[in-house]
């Protein structure tokens, strides 16, 4: 666009001399501006030398005959035009430019499937406000921190189903995460094996070089008709790495209110054996978290481990605008030469 303007008849516009336009240019040779500053001094020296070399003619006139006329000021016009021509040529030498830089980023991408437990025990309030809401919060942050990775979502309790296929539409995915609720699955229990199987089924046709499942649960596998160890081995056969996160504290934990509105406490235990074994088979890592901060840190670690290299190309489109000022400089120089051949330059000077 800029190149078209520079080469079209629009160079005649006074727009090119506004302070806003000049300020927005990148100048390739800004040192030329020192010559622009020195130009008045150079022209003053030239004027003094010219005055000394100029021939004078003595004419005897009475004082009443000597009158000053404003017409004599016309002789200054050629000098002013010459100064303007030099200034424009110096502007052209400074080479005004505009550069548009375009950055293209891409990555080979990673396929990630989030498997989130929504069983009844995820309502326990040892996390704020409860285990499920804490998991949803860190999942949202994890999703928005990715770049061009396809991410999917599976929820499970007594059964498992795919909440979202692999997608790069993170806003839509976060909408699905927001809508996760305990009522999505009526059947109680914790079917980790089924969740792993659903996640594997979603990823088995993926041609991504890196495939990851993140399984978050607070209980033992006690539902579903698929053994979690067998499901983990099936995922491994498809080169899917598995991270497992055991969420929850041991001992007495707050769980809702009693009839009188007082906090109710229940005993909580968590068998880590199955989750550890799943992570081992899936060549991932097992984590145990007992508060919101620890959960955030775990997702931050996984985010750091499973980062694809982001590559970028930078393109620079540079448009020169010096022809505009060069044309103006030539026009004023030709005008000066024209005026040198007219009566204006021949007006007698005192």
């Amino acid at each position: 666009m800029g190149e078209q303007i520079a080469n079209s008849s629009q160079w005649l516009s006074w727009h090119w001399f506004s302070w806003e336009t000049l300020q927005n240019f990148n100048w390739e040779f800004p040192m030329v501006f020192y010559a622009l500053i020195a130009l008045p001094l150079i022209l003053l020296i030239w004027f003094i030398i010219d005055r000394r070399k100029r021939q004078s003619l003595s004419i005897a006139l009475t004082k009443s005959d000597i009158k000053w006329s404003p017409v004599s000021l016309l002789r200054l016009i050629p000098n002013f035009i010459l100064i303007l021509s030099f200034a424009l040529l110096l502007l052209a030498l400074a080479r005004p430019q505009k550069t548009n830089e375009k950055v293209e980023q891409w990555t080979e991408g990673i396929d990630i499937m989030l498997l989130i437990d929504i069983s009844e025990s995820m309502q326990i309030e040892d996390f704020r406000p409860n285990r499920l809401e804490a998991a949803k919060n860190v999942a949202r942050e994890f999703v928005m921190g990715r770049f061009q990775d396809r991410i999917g979502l599976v929820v499970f309790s007594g059964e498992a189903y795919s909440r979202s296929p692999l997608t790069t539409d993170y806003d839509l995915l976060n909408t699905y995460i927001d809508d996760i609720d305990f009522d999505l699955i009526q059947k109680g229990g914790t079917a980790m094996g089924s969740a792993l199987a659903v996640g594997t089924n979603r990823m088995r046709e993926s041609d991504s070089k890196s495939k990851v499942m993140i399984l978050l649960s607070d209980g033992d596998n006690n539902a579903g008709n698929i053994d979690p160890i067998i499901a983990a081995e099936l995922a491994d056969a498809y080169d899917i790495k598995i991270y497992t996160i055991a969420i929850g504290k041991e001992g007495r934990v707050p769980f809702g209110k009693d009839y009188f509105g007082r906090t109710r406490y229940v005993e909580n235990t968590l068998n880590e054996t199955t989750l550890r074994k799943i992570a081992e088979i899936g060549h991932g890592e097992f984590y145990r978290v007992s508060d919101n901060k620890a959960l955030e840190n775990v997702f931050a670690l996984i985010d750091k481990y499973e980062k694809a290299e982001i590559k970028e190309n930078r393109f620079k489109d540079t448009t020169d605008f010096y022809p505009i000022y060069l044309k103006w400089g030539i026009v004023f120089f030709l005008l000066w030469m024209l005026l040198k051949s007219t009566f204006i330059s021949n007006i007698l000077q005192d």
Side-chain angles (χ1 to χ4, degrees), residues 258-269:
D258 61 16
Y259 179 79
F260 299 102
R262 296 173 299 188
T263 301
R264 181 177 60 189
Y265 289 87
V266 297
E267 287 292 330
N268 183 68
T269 59

Side-chain angles (χ1 to χ4, degrees), residues 105-107 147 308-312:
Q105 291 185 326
W106 79 97
T107 178
F147 175 74
E309 181 183 0
I310 297 176
K311 304 173 184 178
E312 65 178 34

Side-chain angles (χ1 to χ4, degrees), residues 25-42:
F25 283 137
N26 296 319
W27 301 89
E28 181 73 11
F29 305 112
M31 296 295 290
V32 174
F33 287 119
Y34 289 108
L36 192 62
I37 296 173
L39 182 61
L41 179 61
I42 295 172

Side-chain angles (χ1 to χ4, degrees), residues 29-300:
F29 305 112
M31 296 295 290
V32 174
F33 287 119
Y34 289 108
L36 192 62
I37 296 173
L39 182 61
L41 179 61
I42 295 172
L43 291 174
L44 178 63
I45 295 172
W46 172 73
F47 176 75
I48 293 172
I49 295 173
D50 181 65
R51 289 279 293 183
R52 289 183 177 180
K53 288 184 177 181
R54 183 178 299 158
Q55 294 181 352
S56 59
L57 177 64
S58 299
I59 300 176
L61 294 171
T62 63
K63 190 173 182 179
S64 60
D65 292 331
I66 300 175
K67 295 180 180 179
W68 178 83
S69 173
V71 177
S72 64
L73 293 176
L74 292 176
R75 71 179 186 272
L76 300 177
I77 293 177
N79 292 335
F80 174 76
I81 290 176
L82 182 62
I83 293 173
L84 189 57
S85 174
F86 284 157
L88 289 167
L89 292 175
L90 287 174
L91 272 181
L93 284 173
R95 198 163 181 174
Q97 299 176 336
K98 284 187 178 180
T99 301
N100 294 323
E101 185 175 26
K102 182 181 179 182
V103 180
E104 288 185 351
Q105 291 185 326
W106 79 97
T107 178
E108 293 180 352
I110 296 174
D111 283 351
I112 302 172
M113 190 65 69
L114 299 175
L115 283 51
I116 299 179
D117 187 349
I118 62 168
S119 60
E120 184 183 13
S121 59
M122 290 290 285
Q123 298 181 49
I124 292 176
E125 299 167 358
D126 49 353
F127 286 68
R128 296 296 177 191
N130 58 45
R131 293 176 178 178
L132 180 58
E133 290 301 320
K136 287 166 61 175
N137 288 337
V138 294
R140 278 189 291 265
E141 293 177 6
F142 177 81
V143 167
M144 297 311 294
R146 308 304 295 183
F147 175 74
Q148 292 187 355
D149 296 327
R150 297 197 306 167
I151 304 176
L153 177 64
V154 172
V155 293
F156 66 96
S157 56
E159 296 174 334
Y161 80 92
S162 175
R163 182 74 177 154
S164 169
L166 293 167
T167 180
T168 55
D169 188 343
Y170 299 154
D171 290 332
L172 177 62
L173 183 60
N174 271 336
T175 299
Y176 286 132
I177 293 173
D178 291 339
D179 292 340
I180 292 176
D181 189 78
F182 297 104
D183 296 331
L184 289 176
I185 301 175
Q186 298 300 320
K187 188 175 180 179
T190 305
M192 285 190 287
S194 298
L196 289 167
V198 172
T200 300
N201 185 55
R202 279 294 191 183
M203 304 181 80
R204 62 189 176 90
E205 295 183 357
S206 169
D207 56 1
S208 175
K209 291 184 178 180
S210 183
K211 294 176 282 188
V212 176
M213 282 198 291
I214 303 173
L215 173 65
L216 188 146
S217 179
D218 67 346
D220 293 331
N221 183 76
N222 56 17
N225 53 9
I226 302 175
D227 183 80
I229 303 303
I230 295 175
E233 291 172 345
L234 179 63
D236 182 54
Y238 285 101
D239 296 321
I240 301 173
K241 183 186 290 188
I242 307 173
Y243 291 92
T244 59
I245 303 173
I247 181 171
K249 295 179 181 179
E250 294 280 3
R252 285 169 54 82
V253 291
F255 187 19
K257 306 291 184 180
D258 61 16
Y259 179 79
F260 299 102
R262 296 173 299 188
T263 301
R264 181 177 60 189
Y265 289 87
V266 297
E267 287 292 330
N268 183 68
T269 59
L270 176 60
N271 186 353
E272 303 176 358
T273 305
T274 302
L275 290 172
R276 286 185 181 274
K277 186 63 176 178
I278 292 171
E280 181 183 340
I281 294 171
H283 306 285
E285 297 286 343
F286 165 80
Y287 300 98
R288 177 68 188 270
V289 296
S290 57
D291 57 41
N292 294 60
K293 187 62 179 177
L295 184 60
E296 292 171 8
N297 291 339
V298 166
F299 267 86

